[in-house]
Amino acid sequence: MAELFLGKVLLKNNRDQDELDTDKELCERLENRVLLLYFAESGSSRCQEFAPLLKDFFTKLTDEFYVNRSSQLALIYITRDRNEEDHDSFIKNMPKRWLLVPFENEEFRR
């Protein structure tokens, strides 16, 4: 599934939203991992209820304290929000290990 994102830009969920924009960087972060694709809209009550559960699940499965092979899971967040402010507000409280499809990239939001 990592091939789906080759040639695309993904962002790290950090303050600067650093880009993973080369195929080598993407492969290092995605290949041979279980990829979770999370499509969500911050204003949706279902997404608001589910997000803390997913955050806890992801945190435990990527924390070396809980599991031996913590690096085998990658999550890519794909926003369904209509404006960037809602998107930014939502991801601010999510794990920094999440990767993001840039808000401007509408290819995955259709």
Side-chain angles (χ1 to χ4, degrees):
M1 186 181 291
E3 297 82 28
L4 178 65
F5 296 96
L6 293 179
K8 308 284 190 265
V9 173
L10 292 179
L11 305 175
K12 295 178 185 176
N13 187 22
N14 59 19
R15 186 171 49 99
D16 296 327
Q17 292 191 352
D18 296 322
E19 293 183 358
L20 297 173
D21 60 352
T22 67
D23 288 345
K24 181 180 179 194
E25 287 178 301
L26 289 170
C27 286
E28 287 174 1
R29 291 292 295 263
L30 302 179
E31 265 189 4
N32 299 317
R33 288 182 171 74
V34 174
L35 297 183
L36 302 175
L37 301 180
Y38 179 40
F39 294 83
E41 182 177 355
S42 63
S44 163
S45 61
R46 294 174 108 190
C47 292
Q48 289 175 0
E49 291 173 15
F50 180 68
L53 300 172
L54 180 60
K55 178 181 177 181
D56 185 52
F57 171 79
F58 181 80
T59 300
K60 286 182 179 174
L61 287 181
T62 56
D63 187 330
E64 294 168 1
F65 179 77
Y66 293 101
V67 293
N68 290 333
R69 302 167 112 184
S70 61
S71 63
Q72 290 189 329
L73 184 67
L75 187 142
I76 301 172
Y77 174 69
I78 303 164
T79 187
R80 304 289 295 180
D81 285 321
R82 299 179 198 279
N83 65 63
E84 196 166 3
E85 293 79 26
D86 290 343
H87 164 73
D88 290 343
S89 176
F90 183 76
I91 61 169
K92 192 179 293 184
N93 297 315
M94 295 302 131
K96 301 302 176 206
R97 291 183 180 178
W98 282 17
L99 297 174
L100 316 168
V101 171
F103 180 81
E104 304 80 32
N105 184 338
E106 296 184 16
E107 177 181 2
F108 292 103
R109 292 193 287 153
R110 294 183 195 153

